[in-house]
Amino acid sequence: MAKFENAHDIKVIVATDCGSTTTKAILIEFVNGEYRLMSRGEAPTTVEAPFEDVTMGVLNAVGELEELSGRKLLDEDGKFISPANGKNGTDVYISTSSAGGGLQMMVAGVVRSMTAESAERAALGAGAIVMDVIASNDKRLPHQQIERIRQLRPDMLLLSGGIDGGTTTHVVELAELISAADPRPRLGSSYQLPIIYAGNKDAAKLVSDVLADKVDLRTVDNLRPVLELENLAPAREEIHELFMEHVMAQAPGYKKLMSWADAPIMPTPGAVGLIIQTIADQYGIEAVGVDIGGATTDVFSVFRPDGTNGEFNRTVSANLGMSYSISNVFAEATLPMVMRWVPFEMDERDLRNRVKNKMIRPTTIPQSMEELIFEQAIAKEALRLAFVQHKSFATVLKGVQQQRTIADAFEQSSSGATIVNMMTLDMLIGSGGVLSHAPRRQQSALMMMDAFMPEGITRLAVDSIFMMPQLGVLTEVQPKAATEVFEKDCLIHLGTCIAPAGQAKKAGPVMKYTIEMPDGPVSGTLDYLELKLFKLGVQDNGLPIKVKATFEPERGFDIGGGKGNAVTREIYGGVVGIVLDGRGRPFDLSSLDEKERVSYLRKWMTEMDIYPKEAMA
Amino acid sequence: MGHAYTPGLKVTEQQLVEKRRILPLKGDVIVKVGDQVKPDDVVARTVLPGNVVPINIANKLGIPPEDIDMVMLKKPGDPIKKGEEIALSKTLFIFKNYCHATIDGTIESISSITGQVLQRGEPSPVEVKAYLQGEVTEVIPNEGVVVKCTGSFVQGIFGIGGETNGPLHVATQDNTVILNEKLITEDMAGKIIVGGSRVTANGLKKAIKAGVRGIVVGGFDDQDLRDFLGYDIGVAITGSEDTTTTLVVTEGFGEINMAHKTFELLKHHEGEMACINGATQIRAGVIRPEVVVPKIDADKTEDAGSGEIVGLTIGSAIRVIRHPYFGRLGAVTDLPSPLHVLESESKARVLEVEFDGGERATVPRANVEMIED
């Protein structure tokens, strides 16, 4: 493959994502001064028998790209033509992978809420599925911990514990437990299990004495060198290194795939995190991304608790999803929470059977409108629960001593408080079948609003074809191409939600608004429990139309400038438009009786044209 | 998109059934190729290393970890008995502090860094049984065997409980009858009973009390499943439930007639020994529950179940697996290629079906399952 010293010389890019079932390929070209998505292709992934060679699926997906684009990408031997020359070849080929179950890790640390949690953050951020977190104080007896390590067969283990210069005993004790368990890697028995040690540097030699003979031990800088600081990058880099070296190398065909690629192959969720971080940093915004699948839901976020530096977090809710895990969503959320989003009555026994039948036959789709409404109600709860988990994980560092003033004492904030702030959140991006393929885009917008309950002014978007993984790895090679394609081709801009935070005891106005629409200003008053939609679309290039707007919340309501303070700023349109959400925050329907609840649901759905009128009768 | 339908669950009168019977750890295989085995015969066994139980001697005796070797009465590898003295510290020549073993086993390791001693418990034996009645066709040295038989084979959709076996007994008059407690009698102990459209919660309870080994039935109510297990199943990974009666559901949740063909096949083999397993895993590497009726004298080369898989065609027999036509059976009358807009406004590939009884409908291909011949 061609190597480019200057990223600007890269004009043609092919990127693939090898998922568990489908390999997706995209072709990006530099045309008329900008990078744009030219075509996309997909083919079944070929990691499992009878093929057992991932590159076959890649070649099939790239073959589809060739047919659709007319660009010849492969030579007679099935190798990429590089560099690009006219209508032939590509300058760069890159890939991500989650085939074969992705990257499965176990992490261990001394204190559950401190070093173990930092280790978990490092593993999740690198794109791993964390199978279990072992900590000296996790309330399990040592023999139970050993039993657990023995049962699980992770791809690798991350061990941390202690600040530099602190006590060494606890982390060495953990190393002894791991040694006694004699853990085996998931794939292949021909190599030793990789263990990354990222704990107290003074214990590195002692840990090595205990473990070096039994496992493939790598030592990196402490991920919590002092209590006040997390240093996750060295551990994450080592995870990626080992992912390539061990996990990928064991999967059939990956050695060949790695030799084709111009950048290291990245775990799919790690790449999604990277594009969200890149976009958030480029515009200095706070962003949340969510990917809801059949079995799991991933949430990514970048928040800036100190106002400048972006802090990235990723969580995987392993048993919240829309098919394999749908029954678990139902069990965790409970029936009344799901049914609060459904504007008609359904029989509980029948519903329970329907949910279980979806679980055992996960590929079925809603045929009737009633089924769609019910499925979207479950999706709202799955997203809500995944976000609750994310909020409790994305926190300021725990265990850090804080200096308090008198004012802080009244706020009752503590170490370990969440950094997720819905009022300062700028952008919410959804992806996954139920959001990306909803029959009406308004449905995606309302699902995200009902699940995440954004406050203040928040842009909403969905990933049209789940291109985020490929664009994530592209940021490592040509960041400009990644961000341009992300905004213009990957995202479907839905619009902006404007939701004053606060609650009212009775009906009445919550906010006055003036929006400078292209065909003249629109002004009015938003009432409590009211939703209003204003159409404001997108430009020809796919980017949203921007307009100026002023919002004047009532006393007790906040739109971002403090309670009762007006805010004037530019807001973005989209395929749905501008949604004014007067339902209050925190959102609480419990004061309404059953008849009122159904009546309001119907009003909101009608205003946003969510479902056909007859479906809500 | 051509395969956007669920292949049907297998229901065949005769096919080769092959099972790998593998130990969780390396051990001894105690049968050889060509041996005839019965379901409860042990084919391989091993011992699992015992649990590790740490004990911090330095803390218990109040000594620095580096002095641990001076107080230990045992060394790594030594056998120990619960309550036995394993460390002794003497202070002022008269006070003796002992530390006692907390389990039976051996000393695994002694650490002078942490002062921790790891005790390894007694190993526990593990046996793998043949599960099927058939022949051992392959031995994987130190790991296990492959057992093969020819027999009738029924794949279920969901199950609970593990492997068991017993003679088949049809408990309902036909495939539409609900299997309730009245239909379950004491003489069904040790048997695999076959029901119709649904087993009730009380029916299942009575079957367990009567010592029934397994139930094969069309449907089961989710509410009853939750009441029975005491918890809600979140993801479909089952097989290790603590139940003496294995349940194999052939059609789905709710009240749904067992497919006529399945019922007739099981009825045809009434009295014969069946091997069943409720283990289900609906994830990548899908595992479905099953019923195997081994045929002792069958021609082992015949495999009626290995026919080429043909996709949906006009005339294919199907079952709808989602509302609003859930559970209805019919035949495909048309397979239009263009995407069709459903009532839910989703676009999908569909098929036209004529249900038993003559009614016609349009259904997404993703929502049907083929009934294989």
Side-chain angles (χ1 to χ4, degrees), chain B residues 169-174 176-188 193-200 202-204 206-207 210 212:
Chain B
H169 178 92
V170 178
T172 58
Q173 201 175 8
D174 61 39
T176 65
V177 175
I178 294 175
L179 182 59
N180 58 28
E181 71 274 21
K182 288 182 194 145
L183 294 172
I184 298 190
T185 51
E186 298 296 322
D187 62 338
M188 291 177 185
I193 61 172
V194 179
S197 58
R198 176 165 73 90
V199 59
T200 63
N202 285 339
L204 180 60
K206 193 166 173 197
V212 168

PDB file of all heavy atoms in Angstrom, chain B residues 169-174 176-188 193-200 202-204 206-207 210 212:
ATOM      1  N   HIS B 169     -44.259 -40.845  26.394  1.00  0.00           N
ATOM      2  CA  HIS B 169     -45.645 -41.126  26.738  1.00  0.00           C
ATOM      3  C   HIS B 169     -46.487 -39.922  26.309  1.00  0.00           C
ATOM      4  O   HIS B 169     -46.253 -38.805  26.745  1.00  0.00           O
ATOM      5  CB  HIS B 169     -45.767 -41.343  28.255  1.00  0.00           C
ATOM      6  CG  HIS B 169     -47.176 -41.579  28.696  1.00  0.00           C
ATOM      7  ND1 HIS B 169     -47.711 -42.835  28.801  1.00  0.00           N
ATOM      8  CD2 HIS B 169     -48.165 -40.711  29.039  1.00  0.00           C
ATOM      9  CE1 HIS B 169     -48.972 -42.736  29.197  1.00  0.00           C
ATOM     10  NE2 HIS B 169     -49.269 -41.454  29.353  1.00  0.00           N
ATOM     11  N   VAL B 170     -47.434 -40.166  25.418  1.00  0.00           N
ATOM     12  CA  VAL B 170     -48.266 -39.059  24.937  1.00  0.00           C
ATOM     13  C   VAL B 170     -49.410 -38.846  25.924  1.00  0.00           C
ATOM     14  O   VAL B 170     -50.197 -39.759  26.172  1.00  0.00           O
ATOM     15  CB  VAL B 170     -48.784 -39.333  23.517  1.00  0.00           C
ATOM     16  CG1 VAL B 170     -49.681 -38.192  23.042  1.00  0.00           C
ATOM     17  CG2 VAL B 170     -47.608 -39.501  22.559  1.00  0.00           C
ATOM     18  N   ALA B 171     -49.494 -37.651  26.485  1.00  0.00           N
ATOM     19  CA  ALA B 171     -50.445 -37.403  27.579  1.00  0.00           C
ATOM     20  C   ALA B 171     -51.711 -36.692  27.124  1.00  0.00           C
ATOM     21  O   ALA B 171     -52.653 -36.566  27.890  1.00  0.00           O
ATOM     22  CB  ALA B 171     -49.756 -36.592  28.672  1.00  0.00           C
ATOM     23  N   THR B 172     -51.728 -36.190  25.898  1.00  0.00           N
ATOM     24  CA  THR B 172     -52.944 -35.503  25.436  1.00  0.00           C
ATOM     25  C   THR B 172     -53.498 -36.210  24.212  1.00  0.00           C
ATOM     26  O   THR B 172     -52.752 -36.877  23.483  1.00  0.00           O
ATOM     27  CB  THR B 172     -52.652 -34.027  25.057  1.00  0.00           C
ATOM     28  OG1 THR B 172     -51.643 -34.004  24.051  1.00  0.00           O
ATOM     29  CG2 THR B 172     -52.194 -33.221  26.254  1.00  0.00           C
ATOM     30  N   GLN B 173     -54.784 -35.974  23.996  1.00  0.00           N
ATOM     31  CA  GLN B 173     -55.439 -36.679  22.895  1.00  0.00           C
ATOM     32  C   GLN B 173     -54.906 -36.226  21.534  1.00  0.00           C
ATOM     33  O   GLN B 173     -54.721 -37.020  20.634  1.00  0.00           O
ATOM     34  CB  GLN B 173     -56.937 -36.423  22.992  1.00  0.00           C
ATOM     35  CG  GLN B 173     -57.741 -37.456  22.268  1.00  0.00           C
ATOM     36  CD  GLN B 173     -59.227 -37.241  22.499  1.00  0.00           C
ATOM     37  OE1 GLN B 173     -59.643 -36.240  23.080  1.00  0.00           O
ATOM     38  NE2 GLN B 173     -60.020 -38.180  22.044  1.00  0.00           N
ATOM     39  N   ASP B 174     -54.688 -34.899  21.424  1.00  0.00           N
ATOM     40  CA  ASP B 174     -54.121 -34.419  20.157  1.00  0.00           C
ATOM     41  C   ASP B 174     -53.232 -33.198  20.418  1.00  0.00           C
ATOM     42  O   ASP B 174     -52.988 -32.838  21.576  1.00  0.00           O
ATOM     43  CB  ASP B 174     -55.227 -34.115  19.129  1.00  0.00           C
ATOM     44  CG  ASP B 174     -56.183 -33.038  19.608  1.00  0.00           C
ATOM     45  OD1 ASP B 174     -55.693 -32.070  20.232  1.00  0.00           O
ATOM     46  OD2 ASP B 174     -57.393 -33.148  19.376  1.00  0.00           O
ATOM     47  N   THR B 176     -53.755 -30.109  20.112  1.00  0.00           N
ATOM     48  CA  THR B 176     -54.396 -28.838  20.477  1.00  0.00           C
ATOM     49  C   THR B 176     -54.785 -28.784  21.959  1.00  0.00           C
ATOM     50  O   THR B 176     -55.200 -27.752  22.452  1.00  0.00           O
ATOM     51  CB  THR B 176     -55.671 -28.614  19.635  1.00  0.00           C
ATOM     52  OG1 THR B 176     -56.614 -29.643  19.980  1.00  0.00           O
ATOM     53  CG2 THR B 176     -55.392 -28.674  18.145  1.00  0.00           C
ATOM     54  N   VAL B 177     -54.655 -29.910  22.635  1.00  0.00           N
ATOM     55  CA  VAL B 177     -55.142 -29.986  24.022  1.00  0.00           C
ATOM     56  C   VAL B 177     -54.126 -29.375  24.999  1.00  0.00           C
ATOM     57  O   VAL B 177     -52.922 -29.541  24.841  1.00  0.00           O
ATOM     58  CB  VAL B 177     -55.403 -31.472  24.404  1.00  0.00           C
ATOM     59  CG1 VAL B 177     -55.803 -31.605  25.872  1.00  0.00           C
ATOM     60  CG2 VAL B 177     -56.478 -32.062  23.502  1.00  0.00           C
ATOM     61  N   ILE B 178     -54.657 -28.664  25.997  1.00  0.00           N
ATOM     62  CA  ILE B 178     -53.789 -28.082  27.029  1.00  0.00           C
ATOM     63  C   ILE B 178     -53.422 -29.167  28.042  1.00  0.00           C
ATOM     64  O   ILE B 178     -54.298 -29.896  28.520  1.00  0.00           O
ATOM     65  CB  ILE B 178     -54.493 -26.901  27.726  1.00  0.00           C
ATOM     66  CG1 ILE B 178     -54.699 -25.758  26.725  1.00  0.00           C
ATOM     67  CG2 ILE B 178     -53.689 -26.412  28.936  1.00  0.00           C
ATOM     68  CD1 ILE B 178     -55.481 -24.592  27.262  1.00  0.00           C
ATOM     69  N   LEU B 179     -52.133 -29.246  28.358  1.00  0.00           N
ATOM     70  CA  LEU B 179     -51.660 -30.266  29.306  1.00  0.00           C
ATOM     71  C   LEU B 179     -51.790 -29.697  30.720  1.00  0.00           C
ATOM     72  O   LEU B 179     -50.939 -28.930  31.172  1.00  0.00           O
ATOM     73  CB  LEU B 179     -50.200 -30.598  28.974  1.00  0.00           C
ATOM     74  CG  LEU B 179     -49.512 -31.683  29.802  1.00  0.00           C
ATOM     75  CD1 LEU B 179     -50.234 -33.019  29.696  1.00  0.00           C
ATOM     76  CD2 LEU B 179     -48.068 -31.855  29.346  1.00  0.00           C
ATOM     77  N   ASN B 180     -52.887 -30.052  31.397  1.00  0.00           N
ATOM     78  CA  ASN B 180     -53.082 -29.532  32.753  1.00  0.00           C
ATOM     79  C   ASN B 180     -52.855 -30.636  33.780  1.00  0.00           C
ATOM     80  O   ASN B 180     -52.548 -31.772  33.423  1.00  0.00           O
ATOM     81  CB  ASN B 180     -54.469 -28.896  32.911  1.00  0.00           C
ATOM     82  CG  ASN B 180     -55.579 -29.889  32.600  1.00  0.00           C
ATOM     83  OD1 ASN B 180     -55.389 -31.093  32.770  1.00  0.00           O
ATOM     84  ND2 ASN B 180     -56.700 -29.379  32.133  1.00  0.00           N
ATOM     85  N   GLU B 181     -53.011 -30.307  35.064  1.00  0.00           N
ATOM     86  CA  GLU B 181     -52.664 -31.262  36.115  1.00  0.00           C
ATOM     87  C   GLU B 181     -53.528 -32.526  36.087  1.00  0.00           C
ATOM     88  O   GLU B 181     -53.096 -33.582  36.516  1.00  0.00           O
ATOM     89  CB  GLU B 181     -52.696 -30.584  37.492  1.00  0.00           C
ATOM     90  CG  GLU B 181     -54.061 -30.213  38.024  1.00  0.00           C
ATOM     91  CD  GLU B 181     -54.532 -28.850  37.549  1.00  0.00           C
ATOM     92  OE1 GLU B 181     -54.026 -28.349  36.522  1.00  0.00           O
ATOM     93  OE2 GLU B 181     -55.423 -28.277  38.213  1.00  0.00           O
ATOM     94  N   LYS B 182     -54.753 -32.388  35.535  1.00  0.00           N
ATOM     95  CA  LYS B 182     -55.646 -33.559  35.505  1.00  0.00           C
ATOM     96  C   LYS B 182     -55.093 -34.646  34.586  1.00  0.00           C
ATOM     97  O   LYS B 182     -55.404 -35.821  34.741  1.00  0.00           O
ATOM     98  CB  LYS B 182     -57.037 -33.142  35.021  1.00  0.00           C
ATOM     99  CG  LYS B 182     -57.794 -32.328  36.052  1.00  0.00           C
ATOM    100  CD  LYS B 182     -59.164 -31.980  35.546  1.00  0.00           C
ATOM    101  CE  LYS B 182     -59.759 -30.895  36.425  1.00  0.00           C
ATOM    102  NZ  LYS B 182     -60.592 -29.966  35.688  1.00  0.00           N
ATOM    103  N   LEU B 183     -54.334 -34.247  33.605  1.00  0.00           N
ATOM    104  CA  LEU B 183     -53.830 -35.223  32.627  1.00  0.00           C
ATOM    105  C   LEU B 183     -52.534 -35.884  33.089  1.00  0.00           C
ATOM    106  O   LEU B 183     -51.984 -36.734  32.400  1.00  0.00           O
ATOM    107  CB  LEU B 183     -53.605 -34.529  31.272  1.00  0.00           C
ATOM    108  CG  LEU B 183     -54.877 -34.023  30.578  1.00  0.00           C
ATOM    109  CD1 LEU B 183     -54.535 -33.184  29.363  1.00  0.00           C
ATOM    110  CD2 LEU B 183     -55.747 -35.207  30.164  1.00  0.00           C
ATOM    111  N   ILE B 184     -52.014 -35.447  34.241  1.00  0.00           N
ATOM    112  CA  ILE B 184     -50.745 -36.003  34.717  1.00  0.00           C
ATOM    113  C   ILE B 184     -50.999 -36.986  35.851  1.00  0.00           C
ATOM    114  O   ILE B 184     -51.676 -36.641  36.826  1.00  0.00           O
ATOM    115  CB  ILE B 184     -49.801 -34.871  35.133  1.00  0.00           C
ATOM    116  CG1 ILE B 184     -49.559 -34.060  33.866  1.00  0.00           C
ATOM    117  CG2 ILE B 184     -48.502 -35.412  35.757  1.00  0.00           C
ATOM    118  CD1 ILE B 184     -48.559 -33.062  33.844  1.00  0.00           C
ATOM    119  N   THR B 185     -50.496 -38.188  35.695  1.00  0.00           N
ATOM    120  CA  THR B 185     -50.775 -39.244  36.678  1.00  0.00           C
ATOM    121  C   THR B 185     -49.474 -39.796  37.256  1.00  0.00           C
ATOM    122  O   THR B 185     -48.396 -39.596  36.676  1.00  0.00           O
ATOM    123  CB  THR B 185     -51.565 -40.384  36.007  1.00  0.00           C
ATOM    124  OG1 THR B 185     -50.864 -40.767  34.825  1.00  0.00           O
ATOM    125  CG2 THR B 185     -52.971 -39.963  35.648  1.00  0.00           C
ATOM    126  N   GLU B 186     -49.618 -40.501  38.383  1.00  0.00           N
ATOM    127  CA  GLU B 186     -48.440 -41.018  39.095  1.00  0.00           C
ATOM    128  C   GLU B 186     -47.610 -41.970  38.237  1.00  0.00           C
ATOM    129  O   GLU B 186     -46.399 -42.048  38.375  1.00  0.00           O
ATOM    130  CB  GLU B 186     -48.883 -41.756  40.373  1.00  0.00           C
ATOM    131  CG  GLU B 186     -49.601 -40.870  41.390  1.00  0.00           C
ATOM    132  CD  GLU B 186     -48.721 -39.789  41.953  1.00  0.00           C
ATOM    133  OE1 GLU B 186     -47.529 -40.071  42.189  1.00  0.00           O
ATOM    134  OE2 GLU B 186     -49.201 -38.650  42.132  1.00  0.00           O
ATOM    135  N   ASP B 187     -48.285 -42.717  37.340  1.00  0.00           N
ATOM    136  CA  ASP B 187     -47.562 -43.724  36.553  1.00  0.00           C
ATOM    137  C   ASP B 187     -46.665 -43.101  35.473  1.00  0.00           C
ATOM    138  O   ASP B 187     -46.028 -43.810  34.707  1.00  0.00           O
ATOM    139  CB  ASP B 187     -48.538 -44.712  35.918  1.00  0.00           C
ATOM    140  CG  ASP B 187     -49.485 -44.031  34.949  1.00  0.00           C
ATOM    141  OD1 ASP B 187     -49.661 -42.806  35.074  1.00  0.00           O
ATOM    142  OD2 ASP B 187     -50.022 -44.711  34.046  1.00  0.00           O
ATOM    143  N   MET B 188     -46.632 -41.776  35.415  1.00  0.00           N
ATOM    144  CA  MET B 188     -45.760 -41.128  34.420  1.00  0.00           C
ATOM    145  C   MET B 188     -44.346 -40.900  34.965  1.00  0.00           C
ATOM    146  O   MET B 188     -43.505 -40.307  34.287  1.00  0.00           O
ATOM    147  CB  MET B 188     -46.357 -39.786  33.984  1.00  0.00           C
ATOM    148  CG  MET B 188     -47.628 -39.954  33.165  1.00  0.00           C
ATOM    149  SD  MET B 188     -48.328 -38.362  32.754  1.00  0.00           S
ATOM    150  CE  MET B 188     -49.837 -38.856  31.950  1.00  0.00           C
ATOM    151  N   ILE B 193     -43.045 -36.976  28.836  1.00  0.00           N
ATOM    152  CA  ILE B 193     -44.432 -36.909  28.393  1.00  0.00           C
ATOM    153  C   ILE B 193     -44.614 -35.829  27.328  1.00  0.00           C
ATOM    154  O   ILE B 193     -43.925 -34.804  27.316  1.00  0.00           O
ATOM    155  CB  ILE B 193     -45.415 -36.729  29.563  1.00  0.00           C
ATOM    156  CG1 ILE B 193     -45.148 -35.431  30.328  1.00  0.00           C
ATOM    157  CG2 ILE B 193     -45.373 -37.922  30.505  1.00  0.00           C
ATOM    158  CD1 ILE B 193     -46.226 -35.159  31.359  1.00  0.00           C
ATOM    159  N   VAL B 194     -45.546 -36.090  26.431  1.00  0.00           N
ATOM    160  CA  VAL B 194     -45.788 -35.206  25.294  1.00  0.00           C
ATOM    161  C   VAL B 194     -47.165 -34.583  25.442  1.00  0.00           C
ATOM    162  O   VAL B 194     -48.146 -35.297  25.676  1.00  0.00           O
ATOM    163  CB  VAL B 194     -45.698 -35.994  23.969  1.00  0.00           C
ATOM    164  CG1 VAL B 194     -45.975 -35.084  22.782  1.00  0.00           C
ATOM    165  CG2 VAL B 194     -44.343 -36.669  23.840  1.00  0.00           C
ATOM    166  N   GLY B 195     -47.219 -33.231  25.346  1.00  0.00           N
ATOM    167  CA  GLY B 195     -48.497 -32.536  25.494  1.00  0.00           C
ATOM    168  C   GLY B 195     -48.900 -31.852  24.209  1.00  0.00           C
ATOM    169  O   GLY B 195     -48.270 -32.045  23.168  1.00  0.00           O
ATOM    170  N   GLY B 196     -49.932 -31.010  24.286  1.00  0.00           N
ATOM    171  CA  GLY B 196     -50.459 -30.354  23.085  1.00  0.00           C
ATOM    172  C   GLY B 196     -50.039 -28.916  22.950  1.00  0.00           C
ATOM    173  O   GLY B 196     -48.877 -28.618  22.664  1.00  0.00           O
ATOM    174  N   SER B 197     -50.997 -27.989  23.217  1.00  0.00           N
ATOM    175  CA  SER B 197     -50.748 -26.589  22.889  1.00  0.00           C
ATOM    176  C   SER B 197     -50.037 -25.819  23.997  1.00  0.00           C
ATOM    177  O   SER B 197     -49.441 -24.782  23.733  1.00  0.00           O
ATOM    178  CB  SER B 197     -52.078 -25.903  22.589  1.00  0.00           C
ATOM    179  OG  SER B 197     -52.926 -26.038  23.713  1.00  0.00           O
ATOM    180  N   ARG B 198     -50.136 -26.279  25.239  1.00  0.00           N
ATOM    181  CA  ARG B 198     -49.508 -25.524  26.330  1.00  0.00           C
ATOM    182  C   ARG B 198     -49.506 -26.401  27.570  1.00  0.00           C
ATOM    183  O   ARG B 198     -50.427 -27.187  27.767  1.00  0.00           O
ATOM    184  CB  ARG B 198     -50.304 -24.246  26.615  1.00  0.00           C
ATOM    185  CG  ARG B 198     -49.807 -23.424  27.780  1.00  0.00           C
ATOM    186  CD  ARG B 198     -50.425 -22.026  27.753  1.00  0.00           C
ATOM    187  NE  ARG B 198     -51.824 -22.027  28.135  1.00  0.00           N
ATOM    188  CZ  ARG B 198     -52.260 -21.874  29.390  1.00  0.00           C
ATOM    189  NH1 ARG B 198     -51.406 -21.698  30.380  1.00  0.00           N
ATOM    190  NH2 ARG B 198     -53.553 -21.880  29.667  1.00  0.00           N
ATOM    191  N   VAL B 199     -48.473 -26.276  28.403  1.00  0.00           N
ATOM    192  CA  VAL B 199     -48.517 -26.934  29.701  1.00  0.00           C
ATOM    193  C   VAL B 199     -48.814 -25.843  30.729  1.00  0.00           C
ATOM    194  O   VAL B 199     -48.221 -24.758  30.678  1.00  0.00           O
ATOM    195  CB  VAL B 199     -47.217 -27.708  30.019  1.00  0.00           C
ATOM    196  CG1 VAL B 199     -45.993 -26.804  30.026  1.00  0.00           C
ATOM    197  CG2 VAL B 199     -47.313 -28.443  31.366  1.00  0.00           C
ATOM    198  N   THR B 200     -49.734 -26.113  31.627  1.00  0.00           N
ATOM    199  CA  THR B 200     -50.091 -25.106  32.629  1.00  0.00           C
ATOM    200  C   THR B 200     -49.077 -25.147  33.774  1.00  0.00           C
ATOM    201  O   THR B 200     -48.339 -26.123  33.931  1.00  0.00           O
ATOM    202  CB  THR B 200     -51.493 -25.375  33.208  1.00  0.00           C
ATOM    203  OG1 THR B 200     -51.440 -26.644  33.868  1.00  0.00           O
ATOM    204  CG2 THR B 200     -52.552 -25.394  32.129  1.00  0.00           C
ATOM    205  N   ASN B 202     -49.731 -25.481  36.942  1.00  0.00           N
ATOM    206  CA  ASN B 202     -50.067 -26.587  37.842  1.00  0.00           C
ATOM    207  C   ASN B 202     -49.705 -27.929  37.231  1.00  0.00           C
ATOM    208  O   ASN B 202     -49.313 -28.859  37.940  1.00  0.00           O
ATOM    209  CB  ASN B 202     -51.563 -26.565  38.191  1.00  0.00           C
ATOM    210  CG  ASN B 202     -51.859 -25.452  39.173  1.00  0.00           C
ATOM    211  OD1 ASN B 202     -50.961 -24.978  39.866  1.00  0.00           O
ATOM    212  ND2 ASN B 202     -53.114 -25.010  39.199  1.00  0.00           N
ATOM    213  N   GLY B 203     -49.833 -28.027  35.923  1.00  0.00           N
ATOM    214  CA  GLY B 203     -49.457 -29.246  35.223  1.00  0.00           C
ATOM    215  C   GLY B 203     -47.980 -29.534  35.410  1.00  0.00           C
ATOM    216  O   GLY B 203     -47.565 -30.656  35.707  1.00  0.00           O
ATOM    217  N   LEU B 204     -47.170 -28.493  35.273  1.00  0.00           N
ATOM    218  CA  LEU B 204     -45.722 -28.653  35.420  1.00  0.00           C
ATOM    219  C   LEU B 204     -45.371 -29.039  36.851  1.00  0.00           C
ATOM    220  O   LEU B 204     -44.558 -29.950  37.081  1.00  0.00           O
ATOM    221  CB  LEU B 204     -45.021 -27.339  35.011  1.00  0.00           C
ATOM    222  CG  LEU B 204     -43.500 -27.333  35.092  1.00  0.00           C
ATOM    223  CD1 LEU B 204     -42.896 -28.404  34.185  1.00  0.00           C
ATOM    224  CD2 LEU B 204     -42.942 -25.966  34.696  1.00  0.00           C
ATOM    225  N   LYS B 206     -47.229 -30.597  39.016  1.00  0.00           N
ATOM    226  CA  LYS B 206     -47.636 -31.974  39.311  1.00  0.00           C
ATOM    227  C   LYS B 206     -46.676 -32.968  38.646  1.00  0.00           C
ATOM    228  O   LYS B 206     -46.361 -34.018  39.214  1.00  0.00           O
ATOM    229  CB  LYS B 206     -49.073 -32.213  38.838  1.00  0.00           C
ATOM    230  CG  LYS B 206     -49.630 -33.506  39.403  1.00  0.00           C
ATOM    231  CD  LYS B 206     -51.120 -33.617  39.260  1.00  0.00           C
ATOM    232  CE  LYS B 206     -51.592 -35.006  39.680  1.00  0.00           C
ATOM    233  NZ  LYS B 206     -52.930 -35.284  39.200  1.00  0.00           N
ATOM    234  N   ALA B 207     -46.201 -32.613  37.451  1.00  0.00           N
ATOM    235  CA  ALA B 207     -45.270 -33.493  36.738  1.00  0.00           C
ATOM    236  C   ALA B 207     -43.971 -33.644  37.542  1.00  0.00           C
ATOM    237  O   ALA B 207     -43.426 -34.736  37.653  1.00  0.00           O
ATOM    238  CB  ALA B 207     -44.975 -32.924  35.356  1.00  0.00           C
ATOM    239  N   ALA B 210     -44.616 -35.841  40.465  1.00  0.00           N
ATOM    240  CA  ALA B 210     -44.812 -37.245  40.082  1.00  0.00           C
ATOM    241  C   ALA B 210     -43.506 -37.895  39.624  1.00  0.00           C
ATOM    242  O   ALA B 210     -43.473 -39.101  39.398  1.00  0.00           O
ATOM    243  CB  ALA B 210     -45.849 -37.326  38.969  1.00  0.00           C
ATOM    244  N   VAL B 212     -41.845 -37.030  36.754  1.00  0.00           N
ATOM    245  CA  VAL B 212     -41.731 -37.035  35.287  1.00  0.00           C
ATOM    246  C   VAL B 212     -40.353 -36.469  34.922  1.00  0.00           C
ATOM    247  O   VAL B 212     -39.910 -35.477  35.490  1.00  0.00           O
ATOM    248  CB  VAL B 212     -42.860 -36.164  34.676  1.00  0.00           C
ATOM    249  CG1 VAL B 212     -42.615 -35.912  33.204  1.00  0.00           C
ATOM    250  CG2 VAL B 212     -44.210 -36.822  34.900  1.00  0.00           C
TER     251      VAL B 212
END
